[in-house]
């Protein structure tokens, strides 16, 4: 599910575009969970470059402290200095700060791993988590990315996108199957999204990984826009049909609502009947 890093310039060449900076960043992006260490040749292959091209970029990044050599001396890996760039971003996000205790409490309540993620450039990006033991096939950590269709969080975020934005991401192609239980037919997939938008949650039953179930709910900001999603993920032996219905779904929805409230969302106001909202507005105008 990883994508090869891109080094292409924008379609319309920007006179202020710096190719060297773009290519240096592409070298950093060549490293991921599946490629934690890379040789110069492997970097070149990942980026579609000639074998000698990465040398100057890697040399500079090593001198600046963003890359270091592994014990063999032939391969490179990211350093904590590179990681600092991501954590500087996360440290400035109130969403993450507010979410962590909520994720921890949800994990204790349902006995499952819990996650917070957002959509970024059409992909799901994980920002925070609280873990229990899960199969090694689920290697999710802060900064992990995956296609939005794969995860319950991704699906609940797709469900709450404007229809045209959702269509641009999904297109008219069949949804790639990750397990024999995956929903691949486009119309059936969209029906699941529509149901999720109405219900305020989505249930992923072994469609990402066999033996794994998850429930996700959307997180709203003060404007009522969906900005993130929360989920709980566990083995099917932990998330039985009964526990999903009676415990997990209510708990995940409540956790998402709690985080939404922390971001300033006021669902009670949105739930007022139209006539009452009109009266409240008129009363406010009179008081003013």
């Amino acid at each position: 599910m990883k994508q090869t890093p891109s080094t292409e310039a924008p379609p319309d060449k920007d006179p202020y575009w710096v190719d060297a900076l773009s290519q240096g960043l592409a070298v950093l992006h060549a490293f991921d969970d599946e490629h934690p260490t890379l040789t110069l040749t492997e970097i070149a292959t990942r980026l579609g470059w000639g074998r000698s091209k990465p040398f100057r970029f890697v040399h500079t990044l090593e001198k600046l402290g963003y890359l270091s050599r592994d014990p063999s001396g032939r391969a490179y890996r990211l350093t904590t200095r590179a990681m600092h760039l991501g954590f500087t971003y996360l440290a400035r996000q109130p969403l993450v700060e507010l979410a962590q205790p909520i994720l921890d409490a949800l994990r204790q309540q349902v006995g499952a791993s819990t996650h917070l993620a957002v959509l970024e450039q059409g992909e799901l990006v994980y920002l925070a988590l609280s873990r229990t033991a899960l199969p090694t096939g689920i290697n999710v950590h802060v900064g992990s990315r995956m296609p939005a269709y794969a995860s319950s969080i991704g699906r609940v975020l797709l469900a709450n996108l404007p229809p045209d934005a959702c269509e641009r991401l999904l297109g008219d192609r069949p949804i790639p199957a990750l397990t024999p239980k995956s929903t691949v037919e486009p119309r059936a997939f969209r029906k699941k999204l529509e149901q999720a938008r109405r219900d305020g949650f989505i249930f992923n039953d072994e469609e990402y990984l066999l033996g794994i179930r998850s429930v996700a709910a959307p997180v709203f900001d003060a404007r009522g826009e969906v900005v993130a999603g929360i989920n709980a993920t566990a083995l099917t032996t932990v998330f039985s049909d009964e526990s999903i219905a009676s415990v997990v779904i209510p708990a995940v929805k409540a956790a998402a609502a709690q985080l939404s409230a922390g971001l300033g969302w006021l669902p009670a106001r949105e739930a007022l009947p139209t006539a009452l909202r009109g009266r409240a507005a008129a009363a406010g105008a009179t008081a003013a």
Side-chain angles (χ1 to χ4, degrees), residues 9-267:
D12 297 321
K13 184 67 174 178
D14 187 332
Y16 302 107
W17 180 266
V18 181
D19 282 324
L21 177 59
S22 170
Q23 292 169 359
L25 291 173
V27 169
L28 293 179
H29 283 288
F31 296 85
D32 56 32
D33 337 350
E34 297 174 7
H35 306 87
T37 61
L38 293 168
T39 65
L40 288 170
T41 300
E42 289 167 341
I43 292 171
T45 300
R46 295 258 301 148
L47 298 177
W49 290 353
R51 291 183 60 184
S52 62
K53 182 172 179 177
F55 175 76
R56 288 190 305 152
F57 296 103
V58 170
H59 174 78
T60 302
L61 289 168
E62 183 182 14
K63 291 296 183 182
L64 290 173
Y66 291 99
L67 293 178
S68 65
R69 299 187 191 225
D70 73 355
S72 74
R74 296 180 57 254
Y76 296 83
R77 59 189 173 197
L78 297 177
T79 67
T80 55
R81 188 178 182 89
M83 182 175 66
H84 178 71
L85 295 174
F87 279 103
T88 299
Y89 165 79
L90 290 175
R92 298 181 61 187
Q93 299 304 305
L95 178 64
V96 175
E97 183 179 355
L98 290 169
Q100 193 60 59
I102 294 172
L103 293 175
D104 292 340
L106 179 61
R107 174 178 59 82
Q108 292 288 340
Q109 185 178 1
V110 300
S113 288
T114 57
H115 309 88
L116 171 79
V118 298
L119 276 180
E120 182 179 275
Q121 299 178 343
E123 285 189 305
L124 193 68
V125 183
Y126 287 85
L127 299 185
L129 52 85
S130 187
R131 289 183 178 175
T132 60
L134 283 173
T136 55
I138 299 183
N139 183 24
V140 172
H141 55 77
V142 173
S144 288
R145 305 177 76 97
M146 68 172 62
Y149 64 79
S151 164
S152 59
I153 297 182
R155 293 184 181 193
V156 87
L157 294 179
L158 287 173
N160 285 278
L161 283 176
D164 57 339
C166 183
E167 288 303 316
R168 281 197 301 272
L169 288 178
L170 293 179
D172 56 3
R173 302 176 301 278
I175 308 301
L178 301 176
T179 77
K181 298 187 70 171
S182 296
T183 303
V184 297
E185 200 279 316
R187 183 174 299 180
F189 188 84
R190 283 164 174 76
K191 284 185 177 179
K192 286 196 171 186
L193 298 186
E194 291 169 7
Q195 188 67 45
R197 186 165 53 250
R198 289 193 297 268
D199 293 342
F201 73 91
I202 197 162
F203 172 38
N204 189 325
D205 188 9
E206 300 186 84
E207 293 194 43
Y208 173 65
L209 191 68
L210 288 177
I212 294 294
R213 288 175 150 184
S214 65
V215 173
V219 174
F220 297 85
D221 66 9
R223 297 169 296 179
E225 296 180 359
V226 174
V227 293
I230 280 179
N231 81 354
T233 302
L235 296 168
T236 53
T237 52
V238 176
F239 277 2
S240 64
D241 290 345
E242 181 180 353
S243 69
I244 286 285
S246 63
V247 177
V248 181
I249 290 173
V252 171
K253 292 180 70 174
Q258 182 183 355
L259 181 53
S260 299
L263 296 174
W265 184 52
L266 299 173

